[in-house]
Amino acid sequence: MGTTQLDTVPEPKYWHLKTVLTDALDSEFAVGEILPNERELAARFGVARATLRQALEQLELEGRLQRRRGVGTTVAPPRVGVAVGDTEHSWPGGSGPDSWLAVDCATEAPPVAVARLLDLGEGEPVHTVRRTRCTHSQPVAAELLYVPQGNVPGLAAVDAPTGAARARAVLRELQRLELDGHDQAVELGSARAEDAKQLDRLPGSPVLVVTTRYFAEGRTAAVSVATYRADTCRLTFGDPSLPLLAS
Amino acid sequence: MGTTQLDTVPEPKYWHLKTVLTDALDSEFAVGEILPNERELAARFGVARATLRQALEQLELEGRLQRRRGVGTTVAPPRVGVAVGDTEHSWPGGSGPDSWLAVDCATEAPPVAVARLLDLGEGEPVHTVRRTRCTHSQPVAAELLYVPQGNVPGLAAVDAPTGAARARAVLRELQRLELDGHDQAVELGSARAEDAKQLDRLPGSPVLVVTTRYFAEGRTAAVSVATYRADTCRLTFGDPSLPLLAS
DNA sequence: AAGTGGTCTAGACCACTCA
DNA sequence: GAGTGGTCTAGACCACTTA
């Protein structure tokens, strides 16, 4: 009798479930379709709801599913490609089919990690501009842009001390600088409360954190910390001269 | 009486736990130190073990903790910066303090997504080279490099049909091509079984998937799909001419 | 008000590491 | 073999959306 490798490697149930569901999504479901609810699915597969949820969580992490409390679980569309490597997509002023929307502005001390990148002493206040990025009219990123006060001197005349008007004023001043180049890093994080609200997600949901340093006039002109929805986004970097990675 | 916003927003327990633990990690623990075990921690905070684990999972996702079955939970070192944007760090031949190690080579049909990027018909076999990337003698990435057979013609003479020798032969042939440029995308994924083993992680653990297209002689010369450990890595992209984002 | 996903509990057993 | 984290169960209640 051919030993058909039965239980040599006892695969976890949720892992096997994930495989089964992935295949089902590929073959039997259309984008946007609603899946049966969790209690029903768990019963159908003969597992506890917590186990089923473990499989669903992974599928959501991989961008295959979208779950919304009070609504249900739907099949997610393919991830959208979001360009982050090109200057024109982040340096203020770039405006295309998808672009940034200034939300607010404050003047306060940045996190120590940001202060270090800006070569500033801890506790020194900077202009902190909050922006939202939308693609296909869906919010994909929440950003905090930190600008040392010395880099935008012409700002005293602006009457609004905070708010979107102030944010736009800071961005306008920034554009007067000639950009030398930039630096980026991507890492995994979890959404803080404010970012989560902006992204229409629950706090703690996985995000891709893109930290960008902008250089101008021989120093670091600004630092941006942008959090992208990890479930819906694929970040693209590329030679703009070359054919685009399919989005 | 000042309404001190008591329970207007009933924060989930695991979320609050995460905050408390984060502060404790910052102030009371050193890198590498072992935390009390999960049952003990849960008892100490007066929550069920599952709830505690939800907090620990998020902290591990954020790279603050490292958990190993049979061993315990330790405080993780800061993430290492791994350069992925520069050609010399991925195009075969680049060798520095951290570099790639050829593991194996097969000739088989790639996933359909890769076939599409290579402009190949579905089912057409390509050279599939598996490599591992190490930094500070720790595995950080597992890569599959797909090379259409037509792009490395001088390969018939190699005796080894598979294995590391064959992999090195393919890479050597690739180096003869002059690279025009490349294209990259980063997204969140979960480690498949083989990658997980290579990265010394459990299957399903979160990874950053970097897809790179290499262009040479007017066409796509190769496609690389590299999965980086999301818990330990920060991927860096940058103008090589500029000061480095602290690693 | 009904139905959904999100949180939480108090247990149990398993796979793994290491002395 | 003792101790760790990983998996799994069968419940309960809550927050949210929609009708």
Side-chain angles (χ1 to χ4, degrees), chain A residues 230-241:
Chain A
D231 56 342
T232 58
C233 293
R234 200 180 66 245
L235 309 181
T236 66
F237 298 80
D239 282 310
S241 64

Side-chain angles (χ1 to χ4, degrees), chain B:
Chain B
M1 193 169 70
T3 59
T4 48
Q5 81 171 53
L6 272 176
D7 43 9
T8 58
V9 176
E11 199 176 45
K13 279 191 187 178
Y14 78 91
W15 186 257
H16 180 243
L17 256 185
K18 202 189 98 172
T19 312
V20 172
L21 286 169
T22 301
D23 293 345
L25 289 180
D26 286 334
S27 61
E28 297 169 33
F29 287 88
V31 167
E33 202 167 337
I34 302 182
L35 266 64
N37 72 54
E38 298 185 348
R39 291 161 179 86
E40 156 109 30
L41 279 177
R44 191 178 298 184
F45 287 110
V47 299
R49 193 178 152 218
T51 304
L52 175 83
R53 278 180 60 81
Q54 223 175 327
L56 293 185
E57 259 148 44
Q58 284 223 2
L59 288 172
E60 192 178 29
L61 199 83
E62 292 175 25
R64 300 298 309 263
L65 294 178
Q66 197 159 348
R67 300 191 288 173
R68 272 173 306 169
R69 170 156 46 178
V71 179
T73 301
T74 57
V75 181
R79 284 185 174 140
V80 289
V82 184
V84 297
D86 308 333
T87 299
E88 63 260 42
H89 284 98
S90 45
W91 187 243
S95 99
D98 62 324
S99 188
W100 293 95
L101 179 69
V103 172
D104 199 354
C105 180
T107 301
E108 53 194 27
V112 290
V114 171
R116 207 172 303 130
L117 292 177
L118 285 168
D119 278 321
L120 289 178
E122 196 171 321
E124 188 160 348
V126 301
H127 298 299
T128 305
V129 176
R130 181 172 280 278
R131 295 194 296 175
T132 298
R133 182 171 182 177
C134 289
T135 304
H136 309 101
S137 63
Q138 295 251 350
V140 292
E143 182 205 42
L144 286 175
L145 182 67
Y146 301 95
V147 187
Q149 295 182 291
N151 293 350
V152 283
L155 211 64
V158 179
D159 46 1
T162 60
R166 174 88 174 179
R168 283 189 294 271
V170 171
L171 294 172
R172 210 163 11 192
E173 287 298 311
L174 255 192
Q175 279 181 260
R176 304 164 74 123
L177 297 177
E178 182 140 348
L179 190 63
D180 292 331
H182 70 289
D183 222 12
Q184 291 183 306
V186 180
E187 60 190 315
L188 181 58
S190 47
R192 290 169 311 139
E194 315 111 80
D195 299 328
K197 191 172 298 179
Q198 229 173 311
L199 297 175
D200 192 25
R201 298 256 65 197
L202 288 181
S205 49
V207 291
L208 296 171
V209 180
V210 181
T211 306
T212 308
R213 289 195 299 180
Y214 296 102
F215 300 100
E217 301 174 359
R219 60 180 195 276
T220 305
V223 164
S224 147
V225 178
T227 68
Y228 286 80
R229 286 183 58 153
D231 55 342
T232 58
C233 293
R234 200 179 67 244
L235 308 182
T236 66
F237 298 80
D239 281 311
S241 64
L242 292 165
L244 288 174
L245 204 55
S247 77

Side-chain angles (χ1 to χ4, degrees), chain A residues 98-196:
Chain A
D98 61 324
S99 188
W100 293 96
L101 179 69
V103 173
D104 200 353
C105 180
T107 301
E108 54 193 28
V112 290
V114 171
R116 206 171 305 129
L117 292 177
L118 285 169
D119 278 320
L120 290 178
E122 197 169 321
E124 187 160 348
V126 301
H127 297 300
T128 306
V129 176
R130 181 172 280 278
R131 295 195 295 174
T132 299
R133 183 171 181 177
C134 289
T135 305
H136 309 101
S137 63
Q138 296 251 349
V140 292
E143 182 205 41
L144 285 175
L145 182 68
Y146 301 95
V147 187
Q149 294 183 293
N151 293 350
V152 283
L155 211 63
V158 179
D159 46 1
T162 59
R166 174 90 175 179
R168 282 189 295 271
V170 171
L171 294 172
R172 210 166 12 200
E173 286 299 311
L174 254 192
Q175 278 181 260
R176 304 165 75 123
L177 297 177
E178 182 140 348
L179 190 63
D180 292 331
H182 70 291
D183 222 14
Q184 290 183 306
V186 180
E187 61 189 314
L188 182 57
S190 46
R192 291 168 312 139
E194 316 111 80
D195 299 328

